[in-house]
Every structure is written in structure tokens, then in C-alpha cells.
Amino acid sequence: MYRIAQESITNARRHARHATRIDVHVAADDTSVRLHVSDDGDAGSARSHVTPGYGLLGMIERAGLLGGTCEAGPNPGRGWTVTAVLPRAGAAT
């Protein structure tokens, strides 16, 4: 989860034009850990039509290898959000 959070924050710092805030929330229960990273950057046309880069693809692949999910995309209005859910037990082998 650390690497997904790290990449999400790095992407927000690099690409979120005029962002004033990056929020990171982590929650866990008996079965999973959830990550939610969002920023309040401009919803400019350059950012909202971006195809996934290696950072986003890497986060999605990393989550999948661990048996979880990761999604990223623009928020309605302003900003961008990355959410990830990883099982506490790891991927079944």
C-alpha cells in the first residue's frame, strides 16, 4: 500500500495544476486495507483526457498482483482520486 500511496502523491504533486491540497486516507478492517488519495487540482483538459501512464499502470498491476484493486480518475468538478483496496492476507496462490 505504501508504494501506491507514494506514487499517488507524487502524481498529484507533478500533475495537479493549481492544487492546494492532497488528502490521504487509509482504513483497515479484518479483511482489507483501503487507500483513498485525492487532490483539488484544476480539471483542465490536459489532465482529464490523459491515458494511463506507467505510474498508474504500475499501481494497478501492483494491486492486482496482491489480490486487490486500484482505480484512478478525475473527480466530478475538480481534482483527481486514486483508490486502492488490498486484502490483508495477500493474493491467493
Side-chain angles (χ1 to χ4, degrees), residues 8-29:
S8 300
I9 294 165
T10 298
N11 286 346
R13 290 185 47 109
R14 285 186 184 158
H15 304 293
R17 288 181 285 150
H18 308 291
T20 61
R21 181 180 186 126
I22 300 170
D23 292 315
V24 179
H25 298 277
V26 179
D29 60 27

Side-chain angles (χ1 to χ4, degrees), residues 31-33 63 66-69 85-92:
T31 61
S32 62
V33 179
L66 295 171
T69 61
V85 179
L86 300 179
R88 289 180 66 99

Side-chain angles (χ1 to χ4, degrees), residues 21-77:
R21 181 180 186 126
I22 300 170
D23 292 315
V24 179
H25 298 277
V26 179
D29 60 27
D30 291 342
T31 61
S32 62
V33 179
R34 292 173 185 76
L35 172 71
H36 181 90
V37 180
S38 61
D39 67 67
D40 65 351
D42 287 341
S45 60
R47 190 168 181 208
S48 61
H49 294 93
V50 163
T51 56
Y54 293 116
L56 291 175
L57 291 175
M59 290 189 297
I60 292 166
E61 288 176 359
R62 184 181 300 269
L65 289 170
L66 295 171
T69 61
C70 180
E71 298 177 351
N75 297 328

